[in-house]
């Protein structure tokens, strides 16, 4: 059976409450409630609490863009998995390349975040992806494998895990991976999931593609056998574009 696609919008550091309400209104107006796609929006942390309540009972879930692994304590500026859960979050993005590159996150630090988030009952979108120089040096698979090995292990609950393949050179650049490039890495990731968690997990786990996904390229990417949805940045800030990407994901499984 085909995996149910999963499309998440990473709003990054965009929108105040007023702007965000207008965007959410637009998404809800355009989104058909019976599409066979899981949908999440990941707004800035200040909006998680109101949106966690407002989306209750709708087809949209809320995710956070970051989390700290400690449950509480003297960690100025940080937010724990339990706090996210209490604010109404279902998902959290961990290991986004902007967190890796701009805030020095990686390895064991990300692993602790994944463990703490899963044990709090959150679903994790774990991001991996190579830089342009790594791709040009033919190191893509090596980098992705290392990023997965550093963080994932067989004792984790893979049923609450999504992997997002986001080539760094495609994020915010308007230069997306071709469907062939995406499929090649997604198939590799699925194989790696199989070697960590086993064959059943590999066939069930959803792998999103992220990096300049737009309405014009979504159908081609979503049609790939191992692409199960998208993690969308820029295009998710325009309601019609985000919904059009969700529709492309639904169409890829005949929904
Ligand atoms: P983009 O961002 O769609 O703007 O390239 C994707 C992401 O960073 O998740």
């Amino acid at each position: 059976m085909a995996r149910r696609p999963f499309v998440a919008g990473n709003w990054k550091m965009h929108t105040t409450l007023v702007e965000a309400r207008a965007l959410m209104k637009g998404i809800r107006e355009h989104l058909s409630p019976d599409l066979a796609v899981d949908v999440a929006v990941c707004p800035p942390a200040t909006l998680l609490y109101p949106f966690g309540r407002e989306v209750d009972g709708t087809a949209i879930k809320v995710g956070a863009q970051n989390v700290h692994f400690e449950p509480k304590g003297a960690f100025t500026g940080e937010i724990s998995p339990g706090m996210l859960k209490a604010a109404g979050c279902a998902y959290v993005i961990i290991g986004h390349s902007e967190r890796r590159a701009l805030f020095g996150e990686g390895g064991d630090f990300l692993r602790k975040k994944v463990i703490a988030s899963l044990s709090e009952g959150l679903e994790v979108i774990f991001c991996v992806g190579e830089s342009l120089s790594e791709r040009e040096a033919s190191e893509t698979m090596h980098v992705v494998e290392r990023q997965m090995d550093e963080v994932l292990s067989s004792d984790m609950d893979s049923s609450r895990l999504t992997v997002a393949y986001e080539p760094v050179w495609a994020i915010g650049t308007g230069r997306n991976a071709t469907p062939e490039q995406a499929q090649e890495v997604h198939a590799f990731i699925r194989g790696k999931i199989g070697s960590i968690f086993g064959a059943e997990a590999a066939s069930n786990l959803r792998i999103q593609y992220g990096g300049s996904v737009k309405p014009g390229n979504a159908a081609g990417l979503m049609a790939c056998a191992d692409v199960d949805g998208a993690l969308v940045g820029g295009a998710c800030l325009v309601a019609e574009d985000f919904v059009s990407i969700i529709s492309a994901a639904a169409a890829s499984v005949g929904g």
Side-chain angles (χ1 to χ4, degrees), residues 8-10 12 93 96-98 127 164 166-167 170-174 209-214 231-236:
N10 175 7
K12 307 194 180 182
I93 300 171
H96 190 279
S97 69
E98 285 152 18
C127 304
E166 298 208 303
I171 296 178
T173 58
Y209 168 78
S212 297
V213 178
K214 309 275 179 233
L231 181 54
V232 186
C236 80

Side-chain angles (χ1 to χ4, degrees), residues 122-142:
L122 291 164
E123 303 215 17
V124 169
I125 301 173
F126 174 58
C127 304
V128 297
E130 82 287 3
S131 67
L132 185 57
S133 62
E134 288 163 341
R135 173 159 282 267
E136 286 172 347
S138 302
E139 285 172 3
T140 298
M141 306 307 177
H142 176 71

Side-chain angles (χ1 to χ4, degrees), residues 172-242:
T173 58
R175 181 183 166 191
N176 62 290
T178 63
E180 294 72 25
Q181 287 172 322
Q183 171 56 28
E184 187 188 18
V185 184
H186 280 233
F188 176 81
I189 291 171
R190 195 170 304 289
K192 183 73 190 167
I193 289 292
S195 67
I196 300 172
F197 296 104
E200 195 184 335
S203 94
N204 292 336
L205 188 137
R206 294 179 296 189
I207 307 172
Q208 296 174 323
Y209 168 78
S212 297
V213 178
K214 309 275 179 233
N217 60 27
L221 289 159
M222 299 303 125
C224 298
D226 289 298
V227 176
D228 308 310
L231 181 54
V232 186
C236 80
L237 297 171
V238 178
E240 291 87 337
D241 289 358
F242 186 53

